[in-house]
Every structure is written in structure tokens, then in C-alpha cells.
Amino acid sequence: MSDKTSVTSHLASLAKQHNWAATGVSDYPPQDPLVGQGLFFERYKTFIHTVDRDEDKFAHVFAIEGEWGRGKSRLGHELIAQINECSQGWFVRDSKTGQLNDAQLFNKEEDRDGYLGLYIRYSQVASEYQNANNWFGFGVYKALLPLATETFDDSIQGGIAKQAFNRYRGFGFDSAQLAQALELDKKHSTQALYEEPGLLTRLVNQAFEYLEQFGIKHVLLVLDELETIAEAASFGLEDDDTKRLDGQAIRLIGRAIKEEDHRRNFPWLRYVALCSPLLGQQMREVKSNARRFELVQLEHNAFADVSDYVKRLNADRKLRHTYPAGLVEAAYTMSGANFGWFNVIMSNVDVVLDELTNAGQPVPPNGELFDILIRKSGRVSEHVLDHHAIDGINTLNRDLLAEARTLLFGQLPVALEGCSALTKALLDHQNEDNEPVASLYRKVKWDPLECRQALKEYKFIRDKEEWSYPSIEQPISLNALLQNLQTFAINESEEDSLLIPLSLGEFRHLINLLYNHPAAEYAAEALWRKFFGDDKELSEAFATHIGPSIAMLLKLDLRYRSQQSNSMIFLDTEHADTHSQGVTAWEAALPKEPLLRNITRLTGIYRLLDNNWGYQPVVYSNVSDLAIIQPARGGLQSCEGLRLHPNNQVWFAWVNNNDELNSLHREVTAQRASGRLPVM
């Protein structure tokens, strides 16, 4: 082969080389493929082909619900990227074949060409004048302004608008004519747009009539950052000056979706609302909205999807390095199943491997490799791995600590056979909270048909390929759960092997780690009962592997720890069982005691204000059939509001409507005690 041919071949390989996103994957246009979110893909693709008919004369809303930082924005960006043909791929697992495929939302070119994709944040539509009548129209008006003024800043909204501008400029699109349709020269105020009858509807429809000249049949508007003030504060965004939703704004959105007369004004509009969990819950509780919009909860990216995606990159020779077995899965575990942070870790791994390769040094085991990574990357050491957790192990033996670092940074279990005595010695040590450092695992092979039977026996209900548990709306995918469990055994040569902890409690937590889902714990219980019976601990004689304890992974993996702190409350199996029994008893009592739900809500609010939970709040008996509680002795010692009343009294009441509010007023007025009685 000539030198010229060699150079050409090398340049060609570099051109198709995959580079991990060193700062995450939330940019637009997307620099990396989207992996996973198969449920949303299938639902949304069905949705657009269901509503995109001439006889369907309404604006439609599709809502995506998920916590802040879980990838809602990236999903919204992907929808627009699919329209603008700048997607880097959307890898979704085929439910029939089990293969990970690069899927497309639009089957035909003309379907894609009929969409204009725009993006806007909630803070841009929030206004003191906003009302349900013009809520949809105002969002479109604001999203069209960059196109009409050719004002494209460096924001994501500006980039998306500029892309749309360039897309249609070749067909004769003229910003001045769009500005004329929107009557920008008349400088309508926000108050006039919201309150002047018919004005906003006329302007926006005039704009769409102009856009129709370029083959546009639908405007897809992604509305981002629909989060409440409280949720923003809980994620450390309380200092952000971005406007957040309050109770009135949430009710307004619900009314806007419900009132079909106003949605009828914009039959070409498709809203994709990126909602926080609280907003999603509020919208779901409005039963009259159920047939008017679709709501899908954001899935946690599947371990199996990411593992297969990297295998595909390797098979296509797009990776700079061939990664050691288990490294990808370990990195994804560390990331807390966050694809953006996974990219950050892998980009740093590539840099370390570059240095080792250039120096002619061999690639070390995964544990040593991540130890090097911590020293070289501040982001990994500060935001991914709490390497100081290893220093908390109760030993002064430096060789043992080095062995712990290798096992824990590797994240995955290793076979006991051939394992060093030093590794096995970790079973006898605890961390600073007296939790085990290492755990034993058993290698098993479970028949999927028996797994299906296990869920059925545990009261799961099958709907096609999904399983639902009573009282939990989001269905579970048994196939995805088993595939994710298999990635924890990725180092095993036998196909379909699983590595299961020897205790039911750790198995529950492992399932939560690999398949974070509201019903995952119930699925874990069902599978354990099916294959191991009523025993909650298996004999150590069955152990085949040793690996990090789930408690230790929680301490070590910062991303996972922050996301799981609320869902994995009970590390003790007995405590979790007691909690489940309490919830079951509470649900059974609901039909007999209608006020119990509201009393429970009040108790939660009540305890948030208190520092002392060692009592039960007193339910105030009243003839108006209202949910009211008041402090018992020793309760709410630190609440300043109680000083309004000489006997330190306060009521907490839950009312659902004006009639109940008036009844509450009468109950308060009937009190003859001296002083004022505070009521929340």
C-alpha cells in the first residue's frame, strides 16, 4: 500500500470517528445520537400520525414528564433535529427483535417537510396578563419573533430559529412578510395581545397562512422549563431569575388544554410541553384532560441500550480505543444512568487511554484506570466518584484499601474462583456507616417465561409487552429489566447470565440501580419469590461472585447517590416491608375514610414545618366534614406562627373548592377562644 493510500485511509477513519461529548449532550444541534427513550418514541410517532389528519381541527398537546436534569430538553431538541435533518441518530430498541436500531420519526420526506420546528422557554410566555384563551397563541407568537426579525442570538432558541430560516430562505422565505403578518410595526403590547379579543388569534393565523406557502402544514413548538418554584429550589436553581410556575399558572395550563374552543383556533399547532413531575401530576389529576392530551413519563436510559450502542460503534470502527470488558457499564453506573455525564466520563477515559497508548503502556484493569482518571479529571473526582468513600473503610491495611479501590471502581462483580484472599477479606469490613463494603453474588440463568409468570403471580397485569402494577401508572418492561440485569454480568462468558445478590434487600436495590422505576421494587420481590421462595437470605454456599455492595456503590457514585436519595429510603429489608404494609393498610382504609387522603397531605405539610416527629397530629372533629388537624403536645415547637394564639394553636385544613372554604370560615368563626386562630 502506498503512503498516499495509507494517509487517505487514515484520514477517512478519522472523519467517521466518534468523539464523546466532553461537556454533556444538551447542545443544539445535537452532537451525539440519542440513545433509548423507546416508549416515548413509539407513543410520539403514533401520536403525530394520529392527529395529522385534515379532519382533526385542534391544537394538540403532548407532554413529557421528568425530573430536572433527566434529559427532557435533549429529547425536545431531538424532535426538532429530526425535522431539520440534523439528528445524529435516535437509537431505539425494537420490541420484537430486541435489536437497537437507528429509528426515524418520519417515514416519508414529505411528512418531515410539512413541519416547522420551534423552541421556547416557559419564562418567555409567562406574563401577569396570561390567560387560558390566548395561552397557546402567545407561545407561537413569541417563538416566531426571531424568524420575523432575523434576530438570532447564541441561545438554543436562536439557533433553532436560524436553522429554520436557512431551511426556507432558498424557497423565497422573506422575514419582512412574516413581520407584516404579525403586525410588528404596530408594536402591540403584551397586555393587548392577551386581552384584546381576537387580536392574537388573527396575527398568528396570518403568520401561518404565510408559512403555508412553503409547504408547512404543522408548527411543532417545544415548550421547555415547565417547572415549579419549589422544584427549581430543590435542584439548586432558587437563585435563577427564570420565571417558574406557581399554582395559578398550573391551573391556567390545565384550563388552556381543556377549552377546545380556543384550541380550535390553531388546528395546525402541535405543542410539546417538557414538564416537571409536579406539573405532570397536576395535569394527570384533571380527568377531563385525559382525552385531550398525551402524557409520557421520561424513562431512565437503559444500561442495555448504552452497552449495545457502544458495541455498535466498535463494530463500525468508530471508536479510538477498544475498551476493556465492563468499562462502559461501569462508567454508566457511575453516571447515575445519565447519558450526558456518561459522555463526560468516556471523553476523559479516551484522553487517559491516549496517554497510555502514546507512552507504550498497557491498558490497566478498570479499577486502576478509574483511579488514574480521578487524579487527572476534576469533574470526575468532584461530581462522579467520591473516592474519599474508600478512605472510610475501617482498615489501616493499605494493600486492602488498594484492593477495595480496584473492586469498587470496577463497579461490577468478579468470579470468586481465582479471586485473591485480599479481595475476599473485604467481606469482613464495613464503611464509616457500618455498611458492608463488598457483597456476595450468585450466578443464575432465568427463563423469561418463568419471569413473566412471576410478575403475573405478584398481581402485575400485562398489556402487550408491558406490565403494570396496581396504583402505579407507568408500566414496566420485563425485557428491559432483564437486559439491564444482564449488563451487571457483562464480564460473564455464558449468554443470558445474571448475577444476583444473596439478600432480597440488596436485590431490590440492585434492580432500582439498573432499572429505576416506581414498580421496580415490586418486580424484584416477584422474581425473588419465584426463584428463591420466602427466604430473604441465601446461603453463602451458593455464592459464585464477589462485588461492591449496593450500599458502597451509593456512597461512591455521586450521580447515583443524588438521584436515589429519595427512592431508596430503607436499606433494611424489614423497614421496607413495614413501610409497604403501612401503605397497603392506608390504601385499604381510603374507601371507608374519604378524608384520609387529605389528612395525609396535611400531615406531610405539618411535619415539613416541624423539627419533632415523635407524635401523631390530632384530627379536629367537626360537623362540616372537613379535613383539619391541630398540634398535639410537643408538636411544632419551632413554628413562629403559633405565637399569634395564647395557647399556641393553629389549624391546617385542606379544602377543594369555594364551598368547603366557606365551611372552613364558619368553623373558625365558631371558635370562642381568646386570641386569633391561625389557619393554613
Side-chain angles (χ1 to χ4, degrees), residues 561-612:
R561 185 202 303 175
S562 66
Q563 291 162 17
Q564 297 295 320
S565 58
N566 292 325
S567 60
M568 297 180 68
I569 300 170
F570 305 106
L571 292 178
D572 187 285
T573 306
E574 297 299 326
H575 292 171
D577 289 342
T578 303
H579 177 260
S580 297
Q581 291 166 9
V583 171
T584 301
W586 180 82
E587 290 175 342
L590 277 179
K592 304 172 186 175
E593 302 179 52
L595 294 180
L596 186 58
R597 186 184 299 276
N598 291 342
I599 291 293
T600 305
R601 289 170 171 169
L602 287 171
T603 303
I605 296 170
Y606 186 68
R607 287 176 166 166
L608 283 173
L609 298 174
D610 200 1
N611 295 324
N612 172 21

Side-chain angles (χ1 to χ4, degrees), residues 406-447:
T406 298
L407 181 68
L408 296 174
F409 285 161
Q411 301 277 304
L412 303 175
V414 295
L416 275 172
E417 185 179 345
C419 198
S420 71
L422 205 56
T423 301
K424 295 177 183 177
L426 291 172
L427 293 167
D428 300 323
H429 289 76
Q430 289 78 39
N431 61 24
E432 53 205 328
D433 292 325
N434 297 318
E435 299 164 325
V437 172
S439 293
L440 292 171
Y441 294 80
R442 177 181 178 180
K443 186 175 181 178
V444 300
K445 294 190 77 170
W446 287 347
D447 188 326

Side-chain angles (χ1 to χ4, degrees), residues 544-565:
T544 59
H545 288 68
I546 182 174
S549 70
I550 305 302
M552 207 54 208
L553 286 180
L554 275 171
K555 286 204 165 298
L556 187 66
D557 299 343
L558 293 171
R559 302 300 308 167
Y560 179 66
R561 185 202 303 175
S562 66
Q563 291 162 17
Q564 297 295 320
S565 58

Side-chain angles (χ1 to χ4, degrees), residues 58-190:
F58 291 101
H60 286 274
V61 179
F62 196 106
I64 306 168
E65 174 194 342
E67 297 173 356
W68 186 87
R70 294 304 305 176
K72 298 192 300 294
S73 298
R74 173 65 182 89
L75 205 50
H77 298 165
E78 182 63 30
L79 297 182
I80 297 174
Q82 293 265 329
I83 293 172
N84 291 342
E85 298 184 82
C86 63
S87 169
Q88 299 300 314
W90 189 344
F91 288 88
V92 176
R93 190 172 299 280
D94 189 300
S95 58
K96 295 180 180 178
T97 65
Q99 297 296 314
L100 198 68
N101 299 321
D102 188 356
Q104 298 288 327
L105 274 176
F106 300 96
N107 298 326
K108 302 177 182 177
E109 190 72 24
E110 53 265 32
D111 292 340
R112 178 188 292 111
D113 290 343
Y115 270 87
L116 167 64
L118 300 172
Y119 174 92
I120 196 169
R121 292 182 169 87
Y122 171 73
S123 57
Q124 295 171 274
V125 301
S127 164
E128 59 183 308
Y129 308 111
Q130 64 182 357
N131 55 62
N133 298 1
N134 290 317
W135 193 81
F136 285 107
F138 190 75
V140 181
Y141 178 88
K142 294 285 284 187
L144 286 172
L145 287 180
L147 274 174
T149 60
E150 291 189 36
T151 305
F152 309 115
D153 57 21
D154 294 331
S155 68
I156 288 175
Q157 181 191 6
I160 289 172
K162 186 174 183 179
Q163 200 175 52
F165 173 77
N166 291 332
R167 184 182 178 196
Y168 293 106
R169 183 168 54 174
F171 298 101
F173 174 79
D174 183 1
S175 295
Q177 292 191 49
L178 181 59
Q180 184 179 355
L182 291 171
E183 299 181 3
L184 298 188
D185 57 323
K186 296 184 180 179
K187 298 181 179 179
H188 297 294
S189 67
T190 299

